[in-house]
């Protein structure tokens, strides 16, 4: 979009994209933690408290990703509107 406009876009656009990417990485890390926790639970028995913390951390990461996705969709729509010819 910057190439179409021949000028840089607003700094908030790149910030929102960076936060969205960061949220994706956090969700991926929490999901890996959940998988490791589930596989170790099958071997050693059920430590329930730790499993609940892992799932709650994943839920919080997904909530943050949802908010970041909403913001980045709005920001990309605005950026698209700015690149359209007048």
């Amino acid at each position: 979009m910057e190439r179409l406009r021949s000028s840089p876009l607003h700094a908030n656009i790149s910030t929102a994209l960076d936060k969205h990417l960061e949220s994706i990485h956090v969700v991926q890390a929490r999901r890996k933690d959940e998988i490791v926790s589930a596989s170790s639970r099958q071997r050693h028995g059920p430590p329930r408290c730790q499993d609940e913390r892992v799932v709650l951390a994943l839920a919080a990461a997904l909530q943050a990703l949802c908010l970041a996705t909403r913001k980045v969709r709005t920001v990309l729509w605005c950026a698209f509107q700015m690149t359209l010819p007048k």
Side-chain angles (χ1 to χ4, degrees):
M1 283 188 249
E2 289 176 338
R3 287 187 213 147
L4 292 172
R5 250 185 112 204
S6 301
S7 65
L9 295 171
H10 197 272
N12 289 346
I13 294 171
S14 61
T15 302
L17 289 169
D18 291 340
K19 287 183 180 181
H20 186 253
L21 183 61
E22 181 182 334
S23 296
I24 290 171
H25 290 306
V26 169
V27 168
Q28 288 174 338
R30 297 298 174 257
R31 180 68 179 128
K32 286 178 186 177
D33 293 343
E34 183 192 23
I35 291 170
V36 168
S37 177
S39 67
S40 67
R41 181 171 30 114
Q42 289 177 350
R43 288 186 231 145
H44 302 293
R48 296 292 301 165
C49 185
Q50 185 178 7
D51 287 344
E52 290 174 1
R53 281 185 273 168
V54 171
V55 172
L56 288 175
L58 177 61
L62 284 171
Q63 183 180 16
L65 178 62
C66 181
L67 291 174
T69 301
R70 285 184 202 159
K71 288 180 183 178
V72 83
R73 284 176 57 200
T74 302
V75 163
L76 287 175
W77 181 84
C78 291
F80 174 68
Q81 294 299 315
M82 290 172 25
T83 59
L84 291 175
K86 295 181 180 180

